[in-house]
């Protein structure tokens, strides 16, 4: 089983030591002033805004985190030594402050008030001097403390100090002093108490050293309440009668005692010596008849065989007489051992009494001798006193109690198969009211028997008289358990609970190993639960409840995981009743974690999957009851509650897998509603992290649902939704609202668990390099891809300041919430994907206010955009990844583009450079992500990414700066180039002019895969007709394939082998999918249209570098189309694979690239001549360069003219007519030029006339400008 206790736990520090001098002055001032007013029992108001940091060890999710167990004996590094020095200074400070406080505690006369003041001291000390103190300069350098640990240490310090004073420790010379309590024992009491304490062993060691060096009560005489408080913990030094009871019951027992043995100590010592001498012999003699009795039942020694064979009545009578005499002797020994304080010897007497008196009732009518009843009464009367000094006696006492319980069940609840008539009716009435008969209020069993007329010494008891005796003993058993729970000191009580837990565990194991055996009606588990309730109701100090729960709670967890539903339900009910009782009598204060340990069993049972579905439902109902009844008293208990809900399972294997229990969902949502409705920032800060992680888990869905979505078509999942995701998203927005309000608070509470959040490699940015995106060269002669002069690697993606998450726990929790939402976008159920994305961007858009801009940009830059890139790459590599995620990716890209546009508008009026730099980084990363999304195999995502580029340019194009245009153009250029990578890869296997359709370099093979749907197959076929044919060649829409499994669900793949030997080496084989090729060409066409839109509208805002980049990309596009057209074998192969009616071609791409390039050249030439101030000589040079470039373009156009089916397909549009020679255009239209009738020289000559006519006009305009020497930028452009 997992232990609840956590001790000596802390994380690695970063830092420097605390200024002890300043802290000491502050400590005295703080505590002297705070103790002046004793009329308040609650901590100061400043505790509402501070909470310490805890390290729960039992959580599954935190098992792999960096937790270090500290010990004075371990080898320490330099940082550890420095941190240990800080802890020692804090321990010295604790002892100094606590010593000052003891002087005031010594004046308190009430035990209850004394316990409350110690609790307040522990809370106040943690608030002022722990790692989360507002006085601490660096919260990462302070000492990790919690109220529970300081509270326990304070108690045990007082106990040890009083023990040292009683021993006269400080009256001896320092060299002669010897402490009876060693360091390991002192540390064990705190660190192994089973409570949630967060204190290191080195801190306790230093406190222990201070206790031995300086008297805690120096100059004071410990008051009676403090002494009694210490004795109530443990009183091992005294063996007096009633010395192991609580102080109140000791005083009452002393007043009732009639015999004072202090006046006869001599006689007492003589009796002890005599009893010690004859004890073993007496016990051996008394055990002989019992051995004979047992041997006659099957042990078969000689005497037993003799007795069993002869069945001599005389011998039996002798054995009965010996048994009666032995019981009398043993009873007197028990009484004597109690009076003369020989508690350690009494266990053997109790054992023999149990062996003789206790038996397993089998007959319907039970008979028992009166002497046995008297001996049982002796055990019950003196059992608590004996066992409080000797824990070994408890097992025999509990054996007697169980025997009485069995007698009661057998007597009052046996099945009356043989009863008839009046007897049966009487039994039924008695079964309904088993204690309806009149009970005599007798003080002893002898008095009861005497009142019933039994005068014989060892008479047989049966019938109604036996029932009265059993009723009497049942009351005695209840009184014994009640006395042990309410009267014993902590050490004795702990022994009682440990033995009761052991016997209960033994009982459950015994019945579990015998499945056919029925459980008793009263289990020891119920007795344990009742004893726990009595302990919590007995107004004990908190330390008693804490240590007792650490013992009892473990067994409740074990019983809760029992396979028998009766036992498990009883265990959960016991936990519920115990917690309810304690919450009614105890209110947790700041920096304490006892409520967390109270609710820990629920967390462990569900997280470790120890319970079944019914038990889980019972736990949920119990949690719901606490939330509705005492939401304000749960406090630190919210953390394990949310951990339990986080592991809650909704799926029932017996029901439909697409349905969940609405009742469970409603109950869980009510719990979150109650938690978020608590107007207490400290409570929210304590459990915020766990509640948020629980909500994120519900949003992401369960593993069972994800497995179903992999087996079922995702479109069928849209109609079925449990509703829990939508509700959880609503509560996430409320958490976001609360965090936003708390962020503006002048003093924000400490968020527990924030230091445990590992941000990893944050801040991270998107990757500029795309993995496996390259063209493998087979032969330099067939390489068609030209090198691109620019890339994203030249961009300097400066991250934002990473210290934004280091100084605030609130921002860490906030960041974790957003990180969970971002990860849920890609992993949540399909039915709730749209709502999850909308919620995420609602939160991100709400962070555009001036107070949240830095954090909002940090989340966008280092959380959202890198996550989108990872999501896209996972969809590329996962099987059928785009079928589920394409809709979500498109929605995310669209909303991200809108958010970036809004931030660009905000940056226009922002004065802070950090915000401007963050927006620039945001734009750069968005461009990289959109560029990569144009390369995916999903046609809808690729074209939508191009549409996002268009939306960005349309919305902000007129306001973008030149530097921002350079980044957008570079992103489009890289996307345009890489979308042609599959085409360039195919052409590496074919030489120019080759008619071989299986490749010239190496070999080309075609593979068909069944990884497509009918819809995808028809869409790819349609795209092939659009991008591989001109308009006149397309004809009618291609026929859709339906009902033919051999064709409709296939996708084709080109397998390229660079050589015959390469087929044996899998790493050298290159695969190009038809889907990749067609999708890339489709996205390339969209980007070409974007270039034309830019040239038409926004060319005035671009730099010459951007224009050169566009022209270079367009040149690569037209060259790729021409290279493809020069390979007839490849065109034929692709036509057959794509099922085209004509030969495949890229004439449409060529037309778009050349026409855009021509138009951009003319428009930019005109703009450059207007903006630049050039001399007449420079003007002539510009015009000459322009003329040569246009000649090259026209030569290229005419040389490829015959590749098109009609002149109209390649003519410039109306916007280009004004820039070109109108006569030339009309001449081409009229004569319908072909390659055979019109040569390139004719076209060039006509164009030269137009240029010469415009040359004089342009030169005149330029010569009128300011005659100032400028840079010849025009020649660089072309």
């Amino acid at each position: 089983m997992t232990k609840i206790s956590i001790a000596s736990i802390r994380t690695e520090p970063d830092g420097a030591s605390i200024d002890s001098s300043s802290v000491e002055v502050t400590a005295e001032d703080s505590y002297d002033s705070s103790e002046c007013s004793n009329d308040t029992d609650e901590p100061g108001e400043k505790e509402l805004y501070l909470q310490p940091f805890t390290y729960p060890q039992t959580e599954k999710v935190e098992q792999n985190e960096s937790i270090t167990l500290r010990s004075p004996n371990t080898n320490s590094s330099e940082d550890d030594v420095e941190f240990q020095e800080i802890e020692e200074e804090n321990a010295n400070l604790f002892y100094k402050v606590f010593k000052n406080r003891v002087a005031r505690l010594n004046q308190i006369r009430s035990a209850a008030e004394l316990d409350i003041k110690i609790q307040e001291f522990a809370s106040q000390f943690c608030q002022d001097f722990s790692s989360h103190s507002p006085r601490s300069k660096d919260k990462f350098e302070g000492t990790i403390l919690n109220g529970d640990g300081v509270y326990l240490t304070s108690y045990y310090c007082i106990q040890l100090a009083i023990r040292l004073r009683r021993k006269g420790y400080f009256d001896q010379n320092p060299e002669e002093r010897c402490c009876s309590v060693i360091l390991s024992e002192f540390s064990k009491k705190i660190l192994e108490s089973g409570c949630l304490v967060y204190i290191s062993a080195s801190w306790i060691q230093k406190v222990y050293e201070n206790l031995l060096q300086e008297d805690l009560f120096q100059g004071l005489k410990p008051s009676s309440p403090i002494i009694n408080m210490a004795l109530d913990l443990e009183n091992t030094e005294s063996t007096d009668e009633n010395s192991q009871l609580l102080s109140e019951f000791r005083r009452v027992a002393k007043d009732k005692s009639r015999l004072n043995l202090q006046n006869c100590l001599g006689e007492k010592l003589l009796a002890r010596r005599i009893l010690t001498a004859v004890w073993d012999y007496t016990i051996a003699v008394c055990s002989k008849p019992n051995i004979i009795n047992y041997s006659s039942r099957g042990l078969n020694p000689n005497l037993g065989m003799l007795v069993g064979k002869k069945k001599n009545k005389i011998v039996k009578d002798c054995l009965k007489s010996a048994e009666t005499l032995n019981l009398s002797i043993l009873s007197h020994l028990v009484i004597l051992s109690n009076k003369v304080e020989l508690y350690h010897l009494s266990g053997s007497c109790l054992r023999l009494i149990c062996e003789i008196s206790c038996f397993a009732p089998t007959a319907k009518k039970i008979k028992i001798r009166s002497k046995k009843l008297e001996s049982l009464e002796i055990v019950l009367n003196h059992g608590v006193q004996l066992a409080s000094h000797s824990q070994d006696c408890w097992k025999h006492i509990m054996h007697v109690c169980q025997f009485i319980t069995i007698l009661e069940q057998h007597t009052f609840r046996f099945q009356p198969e043989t009863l008839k008539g009046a007897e049966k009716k009487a039994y039924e009435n008695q079964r309904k009211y088993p204690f309806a008969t009149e009970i005599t209020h007798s003080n002893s069993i002898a008095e009861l028997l005497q009142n019933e007329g039994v005068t014989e010494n060892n008479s047989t008891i049966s019938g109604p008289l036996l029932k009265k005796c059993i009723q009497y003993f049942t009351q005695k058993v209840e009184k014994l358990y009640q006395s042990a729970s309410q009267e014993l000191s902590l050490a004795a009580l702990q022994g009682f609970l440990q033995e009761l837990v052991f016997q209960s565990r033994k009982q459950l194991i015994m019945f579990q190993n015998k499945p056919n055996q029925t459980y008793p009606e009263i289990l020891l588990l119920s007795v344990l639960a009742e004893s726990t309730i009595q302990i919590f109701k007995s107004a004990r100090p908190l330390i008693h409840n804490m240590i007792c729960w650490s013992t009892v709670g473990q067994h409740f967890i074990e019983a809760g995981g029992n396979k028998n539903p009766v036992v498990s339900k009883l265990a959960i009910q016991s936990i519920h009743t115990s917690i309810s009782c304690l919450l009614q009598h105890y209110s947790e204060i700041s920096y304490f974690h006892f409520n967390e340990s109270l609710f820990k069993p629920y967390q462990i049972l569900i997280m470790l999957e120890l319970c079944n579905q019914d038990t889980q439902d019972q736990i949920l109902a119990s949690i719901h009851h606490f939330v509705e009844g005492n939401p304000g008293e749960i406090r630190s208990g919210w953390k394990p509650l949310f951990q339990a809900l986080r592991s809650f399972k909704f799926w029932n294997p017996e029901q439909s897998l697409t349905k969940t229990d609405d009742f469970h969902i409603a109950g869980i949502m009510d719990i979150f509603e109650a938690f978020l409705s608590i107007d207490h920032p400290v409570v929210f800060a304590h459990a915020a992290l766990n509640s948020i992680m629980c909500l994120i888990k519900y949003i992401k869905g369960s593993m069972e649902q994800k497995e179903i979505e992999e087996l079922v078509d995702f479109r069928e999942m849209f109609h079925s939704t449990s509703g829990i995701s939508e509700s959880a998203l609503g509560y996430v927005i409320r958490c976001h609202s609360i965090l936003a309000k708390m962020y503006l608070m002048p003093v924000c509470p400490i968020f527990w668990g924030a230091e445990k959040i590992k941000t990893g490699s944050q801040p991270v940015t998107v990757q500029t390099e795309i993995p496996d995106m390259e063209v493998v060269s087979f032969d330099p002669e067939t390489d068609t891809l030209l090198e691109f002069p620019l890339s994203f690697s030249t961009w300097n993606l400066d991250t934002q300041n990473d210290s934004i998450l280091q100084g605030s726990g609130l921002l860490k929790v906030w960041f974790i919430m957003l990180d969970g939402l971002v990860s849920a976008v890609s992993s949540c159920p399909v039915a709730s994907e749209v709502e999850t994305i909308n919620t995420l961007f609602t939160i991100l858009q709400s962070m555009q206010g001036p107070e949240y801009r830095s954090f909002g940009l940090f989340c966008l830059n280092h959380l959202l955009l890198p996550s989108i890139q990872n999501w896209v790459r996972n969809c590329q590599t996962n099987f059928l990844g785009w079928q589920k995620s394409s809709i979500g990716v498109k929605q995310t890209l669209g909303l991200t583009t809108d958010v970036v546009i809004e931030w660009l508008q905000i940056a226009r009026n922002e004065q802070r450079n950090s915000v401007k730099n963050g927006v620039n980084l945001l734009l750069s990363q968005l461009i990289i992500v959109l560029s990569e999304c144009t390369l995916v195999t999903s046609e809808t995502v690729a074209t939508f990414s191009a549409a996002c580029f268009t939306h960005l340019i349309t919305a902000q194009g007129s306001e973008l700066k030149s530097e921002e245009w350079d980044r957008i153009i570079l992103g489009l250029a890289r996307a345009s180039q890489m979308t042609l990578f599959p085409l360039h890869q195919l052409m590496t296997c074919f030489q120019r002019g080759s008619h071989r359709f299986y490749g010239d370099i190496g070999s080309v093979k075609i593979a068909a895969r069944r990884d497509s749907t009918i819809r995808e197959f028809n869409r790819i076929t349609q795209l092939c007709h659009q991008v591989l044919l001109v308009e006149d060649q397309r004809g009618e829409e291609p026929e859709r394939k339906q009902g033919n499994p051999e064709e409709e669900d296939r996708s084709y793949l080109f397998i390229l082998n660079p050589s015959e030997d390469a087929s044996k080496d899998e790493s050298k084989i290159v695969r190009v999918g038809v889907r990749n090729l067609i999708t890339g060409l489709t996205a390339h066409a969209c980007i070409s249209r974007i270039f034309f839109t830019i040239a038409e509208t926004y060319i005035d805002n671009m730099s010459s570098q951007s224009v050169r980049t566009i022209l270079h990309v367009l040149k690569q596009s037209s060259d790729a189309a021409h290279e493809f057209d020069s390979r007839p074998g490849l065109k034929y192969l692709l036509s057959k694979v794509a099922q085209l009616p004509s030969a495949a071609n890229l004439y449409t791409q060529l037309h778009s690239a050349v026409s855009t390039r021509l138009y951009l050249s003319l428009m930019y030439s005109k703009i450059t001549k207007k903006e630049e101030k050039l001399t007449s000589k420079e003007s002539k040079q510009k015009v000459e360069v322009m003329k040569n470039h246009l000649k090259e373009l026209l030569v290229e156009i005419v040389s490829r003219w015959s590749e098109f089916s009609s002149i109209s397909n390649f003519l410039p549009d109306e916007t280009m007519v004004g820039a070109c020679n109108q006569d030339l255009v009309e001449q081409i239209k009229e004569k319908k030029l072909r390659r055979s009738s019109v040569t390139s020289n004719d076209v060039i000559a006509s164009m030269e006339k137009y240029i010469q006519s415009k040359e004089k006009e342009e030169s005149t305009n330029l010569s009128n400008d300011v005659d100032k020497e400028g840079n010849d930028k025009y020649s660089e452009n072309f």
Side-chain angles (χ1 to χ4, degrees), residues 1204-1256:
F1204 297 88
S1205 61
S1206 65
I1207 298 299
S1208 59
N1209 288 337
F1210 199 72
L1211 287 177
D1213 54 18
E1214 295 179 358
T1215 57
M1216 295 181 60
V1217 171
C1220 298
N1221 187 350
Q1222 185 67 26
D1223 297 335
L1224 175 62
V1225 175
E1226 294 297 332
Q1227 182 182 2
I1228 295 174
K1229 284 184 176 180
E1230 292 175 0
K1231 296 184 179 180
K1232 297 182 182 288
L1233 295 177
R1234 292 290 186 265
R1235 188 184 186 99
S1236 60
S1237 60
V1238 180
T1239 63
S1240 61
N1241 293 330
D1242 298 331
V1243 181
I1244 293 173
S1246 177
M1247 194 63 195
E1248 283 181 347
K1249 291 180 182 180
Y1250 171 76
I1251 294 174
Q1252 289 173 3
S1253 66
K1254 296 292 183 179
E1255 184 176 2
K1256 295 180 180 180

Side-chain angles (χ1 to χ4, degrees), residues 967-1201:
R967 279 177 279 174
I968 293 176
I969 295 302
L970 178 57
L972 288 170
R974 290 294 294 166
S976 177
Q977 183 197 40
M978 288 187 290
T979 50
L980 296 177
F981 275 15
L983 178 64
H984 288 293
Q985 187 65 65
L986 276 178
M987 291 190 293
T988 56
C989 292
F990 297 88
Q991 295 178 349
R992 292 175 59 89
S994 173
H995 292 271
R996 298 183 59 185
F997 51 84
Y998 287 115
D1000 300 298
I1001 308 299
S1003 63
V1004 178
K1005 298 180 181 179
I1006 301 174
R1009 297 189 301 184
R1010 294 185 180 275
D1011 59 350
S1012 179
T1013 61
I1014 301 175
R1015 183 178 179 181
E1016 292 176 348
F1017 179 83
N1018 290 330
R1019 180 57 181 166
I1020 292 297
T1021 304
Q1022 183 182 12
L1023 291 176
C1024 289
H1025 284 70
Q1026 290 180 4
V1027 300
L1028 298 178
L1029 296 176
V1030 296
E1031 185 176 356
D1032 291 347
Q1033 293 175 329
R1034 294 170 193 164
E1036 299 180 355
E1037 185 178 356
E1039 181 181 358
R1040 296 181 179 271
K1041 302 291 184 180
Q1042 293 182 356
N1044 186 2
E1046 298 297 330
E1047 298 181 1
E1048 63 191 12
D1049 60 347
R1050 291 189 177 186
S1051 65
Y1052 294 96
L1053 186 72
F1054 294 101
I1055 301 177
L1056 311 180
N1057 293 325
S1059 62
E1060 295 181 358
D1061 298 335
S1063 59
K1064 300 179 181 179
D1065 190 355
E1066 188 70 20
S1067 61
K1068 295 182 179 180
I1069 298 177
V1070 180
R1071 293 173 175 83
V1072 179
V1074 175
R1075 182 183 302 169
N1076 299 50
L1077 174 65
I1078 301 304
T1079 303
L1081 293 175
T1082 304
H1084 183 82
C1086 296
I1087 296 172
S1088 298
R1089 287 192 290 269
I1090 296 176
F1091 282 141
F1092 185 82
T1093 303
I1094 294 174
E1096 186 180 21
T1097 309
Y1098 304 105
I1099 192 173
D1100 298 345
N1101 302 331
M1102 294 189 301
S1103 64
S1104 60
Q1105 176 66 35
S1106 297
V1107 175
R1108 286 199 302 270
T1109 302
I1110 296 176
L1111 291 173
H1112 183 84
V1113 171
L1114 293 174
K1115 179 70 166 57
Q1116 284 190 340
S1117 178
S1118 59
D1119 290 344
H1122 183 65
E1123 290 291 341
F1124 177 75
D1125 191 61
S1126 65
R1127 290 165 168 80
L1130 176 59
K1131 295 172 62 177
Y1132 174 79
L1133 177 63
L1134 191 57
S1135 300
K1136 292 300 181 182
V1137 173
Q1139 301 179 12
L1140 301 177
S1142 304
N1145 60 79
L1146 295 177
Y1147 297 153
T1148 304
Q1149 175 180 320
L1150 178 63
H1151 163 240
S1152 178
V1154 175
S1155 59
T1156 304
R1157 185 179 170 196
L1158 176 61
Y1159 179 76
L1160 180 61
S1161 300
L1162 292 173
M1163 294 300 295
Y1164 187 70
S1165 173
K1166 183 177 179 180
I1167 293 172
T1168 304
K1169 286 184 287 184
K1170 288 183 179 181
E1171 294 181 352
E1172 295 182 352
K1173 300 176 181 179
L1174 305 176
T1175 61
S1176 300
K1177 182 178 180 180
E1178 292 171 347
S1179 177
K1180 292 180 180 180
Q1181 293 177 354
K1182 286 281 186 180
V1183 173
E1184 185 65 27
V1185 173
M1186 177 64 192
K1187 182 170 61 175
N1188 294 334
H1189 181 70
L1190 291 177
K1191 287 181 179 180
E1192 294 177 359
L1193 281 176
L1194 292 173
V1195 169
E1196 182 179 350
I1197 292 173
V1198 175
S1199 63
R1200 301 173 184 176
W1201 203 274

Side-chain angles (χ1 to χ4, degrees), residues 338-354:
N338 185 27
K339 294 298 182 181
V340 301
E341 302 173 8
L342 290 177
Y343 307 110
H344 63 286
L345 299 178
S346 58
S348 56
C349 291
L350 298 180
R351 177 180 60 82
L352 289 178
I353 292 176
C354 292

Side-chain angles (χ1 to χ4, degrees), residues 101-255:
R101 177 60 64 92
V102 166
R104 308 194 192 288
L105 295 177
N106 200 42
Q107 301 174 2
I108 299 176
R109 298 303 174 186
S110 171
E113 184 181 359
L114 188 63
D115 181 66
I116 292 175
K117 291 300 180 181
I118 295 178
Q119 293 181 44
E120 293 179 0
F121 163 77
S123 176
Q124 189 72 25
F125 184 83
C126 292
Q127 179 176 335
D128 290 343
F129 302 109
S130 67
S131 59
H132 299 286
S133 170
R135 303 182 182 184
S136 179
K137 298 178 182 179
D138 190 347
K139 300 184 185 303
F140 296 95
E141 299 178 0
T143 304
I144 298 173
L145 300 172
N146 73 328
D148 306 73
V150 177
Y151 174 74
L152 291 177
T153 305
S154 302
Y155 258 94
Y156 287 115
C157 283
I158 292 176
Q159 183 191 40
L160 180 59
I162 292 176
R163 183 176 298 182
L164 292 176
R165 287 179 64 89
R166 285 189 170 186
K167 297 291 185 180
Y169 176 82
F170 295 102
D171 297 336
Q172 303 174 3
N173 295 327
E175 297 80 5
E176 299 177 355
R177 293 176 180 176
C178 180
C179 181
S180 59
V181 179
I182 60 177
L183 174 62
S184 60
E185 182 181 351
F186 181 77
S187 300
K188 184 178 180 180
K189 291 180 180 180
I190 303 172
L191 298 181
E192 300 183 13
S193 62
C195 306
L196 294 174
V197 293
Y198 309 136
I199 296 179
S200 66
S202 59
W203 191 89
I204 297 177
Q205 179 183 4
K206 195 63 181 178
V207 172
Y208 175 80
E209 293 175 356
N210 288 327
L211 278 170
L212 299 184
Q213 292 175 2
E214 186 178 1
D215 187 8
L216 185 64
F217 293 91
Q218 187 175 7
L220 299 173
K221 181 180 180 181
S223 62
S224 297
I226 288 185
I227 294 176
N228 290 333
M229 181 189 71
L231 294 178
D232 288 346
L233 293 179
E234 186 180 12
N235 188 12
T236 58
E237 299 177 358
S238 175
T239 58
D240 296 339
E241 187 177 5
N242 301 322
S243 62
Q244 298 301 318
L245 303 181
L246 293 175
S247 57
E248 297 179 0
F249 295 97
R250 286 200 306 270
R251 183 172 60 253
V252 173
K254 185 177 181 181
D255 296 338

Side-chain angles (χ1 to χ4, degrees), residues 541-575:
L542 177 62
I543 186 174
H544 293 222
N545 297 333
M546 293 170 62
I547 295 179
C548 290
W549 181 252
S550 65
T551 303
V552 174
Q554 292 287 344
H555 183 61
F556 286 156
I557 295 173
E558 295 177 7
N562 195 284
K563 295 180 180 179
N564 189 287
V566 176
V567 177
S568 59
K569 290 181 180 180
L570 178 60
I572 301 303
Q573 183 62 33
S574 301
I575 296 174

Side-chain angles (χ1 to χ4, degrees), residues 743 800-802 804-805 811 814-815 818 847-862 903 906 910 912-919:
Y743 182 73
Q800 290 183 249
N801 187 8
D802 57 347
I804 189 173
L805 297 179
L811 290 183
W814 208 349
F815 184 81
L818 293 174
M847 301 172 70
Q848 295 176 356
E851 303 88 354
Y852 314 110
R853 285 178 182 173
S854 297
F855 181 67
L857 281 173
F858 185 88
C859 294
L860 287 171
N861 281 318
H862 307 299
W903 278 101
I906 293 173
E910 180 62 45
R912 290 175 289 180
N913 292 329
S914 60
V915 175
K916 291 183 178 180
N917 295 335
V919 174

